[in-house]
Amino acid sequence: MAVTLEQAQRVGYTCLKALLRFAFMVANNLVAIPSYVLYLIILQPLRVLDSKSFWYIEGVLFKWLLAMVASWGWWAGYTVVEWGDDVKAVSEDEAMVLVNHQATGDVCTLMMCLQDKGTVVRQMMWLMDHIFKYTNFGIVSLIHGDFFIRQGRAHRDQQLVLLKEHLEKYYRSRNRKWIVLFPEGGFLRKRRETSQAFAKKNNLPFLKHVTLPRLGATQVILKTLVAPQENGTPAGRDAVIKESKSKSLQWVIDTTIAYPKGEPIDIQTWILGYRQPTVTHVHYRIFPVKDVPAEPEALTHWLYERFIEKEDLLTHFYETGAFPPLQGQTKAISREMTLSNLWLVGIQSLAFLSGGMWYCIFQYFYHCLF
């Protein structure tokens, strides 16, 4: 079939736009990430004298870096509509965020839609596959204190021990509030067949849009971060709850990401922008941690229930283009998530100005020494 001039022009424009976006992303990384590292090296004396202030500044820089990633999608027309509970109401509390996992773009989507949730972005910890440690953003996540987990049965027990140690060492000392994990343990397309076979063998529901979650990391987080007696059953005395609340996980936020027609956005699309503008839909349900069981068998059942609910939510979304209303509501309410273009331009400008400043400083010292 012959290609028309209009089609050729469209392809050429898409390729040119992708090339320019890629060049900008590379330049952005070359100035923003080294600047983040260098600022924190200069601030090491503050880390010794006033650790709280150091991690506050680090959190602000971290949020700006995530905003830069969000801007790549935002300017390509990849926006977010939110449904369900309003998580802004618990943005200052400690929470565990459980997310379904379809593609690398899920992380970028979260980086975008959490930007307007108060201090969440700068005070959050991510659990991600160890392979991300070797990406361009790996050094940032290492400094910030995210946890890289190795998948596979051979590593499982050791990784859970390391996760517990990591949480005890870094979570509260760096004033973290939210911790984000993907309990499925991998992308939907990679785990679906194995999950369905496991479900059939154990007489569990057949899931198409999500996979059955794994218990390990969720259980470790709850055991490590929830105050005694608060998980599974209410604490015996109100005074105990009040005293422990500021230093205890208080909520579980069940987050479901849905893409139109079930076609997820990957990181390549997010960077190059060759896909048409797309609205990603994110649904939240908030559970008090006291309603989450502590015993492994009961917790496994509770976690399975959440992903069975996700299956129902996604089935409804793919059939109707919207999520169903929450219990007690007659109509589902959606909220369009927005970012300020002026703010994004300001952050990008600061990154390039910082890169120029560090270059001038290094040039000065180079000429002084040589």
Side-chain angles (χ1 to χ4, degrees), residues 27-308:
N28 199 182
N29 275 266
L30 288 175
V31 295
I33 293 176
S35 293
Y36 166 88
V37 174
L38 290 168
Y39 277 129
L40 295 182
I41 290 175
I42 295 297
L43 289 171
Q44 285 304 302
L46 178 63
R47 182 177 181 179
V48 176
L49 297 172
D50 187 352
S51 177
K52 185 176 180 180
S53 296
F54 174 85
W55 289 113
Y56 175 88
I57 295 170
E58 184 278 333
V60 171
L61 296 175
F62 184 79
K63 179 178 180 177
W64 290 353
L65 285 178
L66 267 58
M68 292 177 202
V69 176
S71 72
W72 306 339
W74 181 258
W75 288 333
Y78 304 149
T79 57
V80 172
V81 167
E82 298 176 309
W83 303 74
D85 293 327
D86 185 1
V87 296
K88 288 183 180 180
V90 299
S91 62
E92 297 303 315
D93 299 334
E94 289 191 20
M96 176 174 63
V97 185
L98 307 176
V99 193
N100 62 315
H101 209 10
Q102 301 176 67
T104 48
D106 297 341
V107 175
C108 300
T109 296
L110 289 172
M111 288 180 177
M112 174 187 286
C113 65
L114 296 179
Q115 283 291 323
D116 66 343
K117 306 298 187 293
T119 62
V120 163
V121 176
R122 64 178 177 84
Q123 291 182 287
M124 70 195 314
M125 179 181 287
W126 297 76
L127 264 67
M128 59 189 77
D129 192 280
H130 78 287
I131 196 67
F132 285 100
K133 185 189 298 184
Y134 308 105
T135 65
N136 59 318
F137 212 76
I139 183 64
V140 174
S141 290
L142 279 170
I143 293 172
H144 184 70
D146 297 329
F147 184 77
F148 299 94
I149 191 165
R150 293 181 66 89
Q151 303 294 341
R153 188 174 300 176
H155 307 286
R156 192 170 301 162
D157 292 340
Q158 181 194 26
Q159 290 298 296
L160 295 179
V161 171
L162 292 175
L163 172 59
K164 184 177 187 300
E165 293 173 352
H166 186 87
L167 293 172
E168 291 173 341
K169 185 175 182 180
Y170 297 117
Y171 192 81
R172 298 253 157 70
S173 66
R174 298 185 182 184
N175 196 28
R176 298 295 173 244
K177 294 291 186 182
W178 285 19
I179 183 165
V180 181
L181 69 154
F182 301 89
E184 291 166 293
F187 298 139
L188 173 64
R189 68 179 187 276
K190 293 183 177 181
R191 290 209 63 244
R192 178 161 40 198
E193 187 176 338
T194 303
S195 175
Q196 289 173 347
F198 178 84
K200 184 178 181 180
K201 182 179 178 181
N202 292 274
N203 197 30
L204 294 167
F206 183 86
L207 307 177
K208 296 190 299 181
H209 306 306
V210 294
T211 66
L212 289 170
R214 294 173 177 175
L215 177 66
T218 304
Q219 186 177 29
V220 169
I221 291 168
L222 290 172
K223 281 188 174 182
T224 309
L225 300 182
V226 175
Q229 297 185 15
E230 196 167 339
N231 180 231
T233 57
R237 293 176 298 173
D238 292 341
V240 174
I241 296 177
K242 187 175 181 181
E243 183 180 351
S244 65
K245 207 168 187 181
S246 62
K247 291 187 177 181
S248 175
L249 208 67
Q250 296 165 243
W251 310 100
V252 176
I253 302 174
D254 187 28
T255 304
T256 304
I257 298 176
Y259 299 95
K261 300 179 181 179
E263 298 174 354
I265 298 176
D266 55 27
I267 187 66
Q268 298 93 329
T269 306
W270 195 269
I271 291 170
L272 300 177
Y274 51 76
R275 182 167 165 176
Q276 290 298 310
T278 301
V279 179
T280 301
H281 297 258
V282 182
H283 184 278
Y284 305 104
R285 280 195 69 194
I286 302 174
F287 296 89
V289 78
K290 67 181 180 62
D291 294 340
V292 181
E295 295 301 318
E297 186 175 345
L299 178 59
T300 299
H301 179 71
W302 185 88
L303 202 55
Y304 282 178
E305 282 185 337
R306 301 289 72 77
F307 277 76
I308 292 168

Side-chain angles (χ1 to χ4, degrees), residues 10-27:
R10 190 181 301 117
V11 171
Y13 171 74
T14 301
C15 292
L16 177 61
K17 183 178 71 171
L19 183 63
L20 291 174
R21 284 177 59 88
F22 181 73
F24 175 78
M25 184 275 293
V26 171

Side-chain angles (χ1 to χ4, degrees), residues 316-334:
H316 189 280
F317 177 84
Y318 294 140
E319 290 175 354
T320 66
F323 283 112
L326 292 171
Q327 187 175 6
Q329 293 181 347
T330 56
K331 182 180 179 182
I333 300 173
S334 63

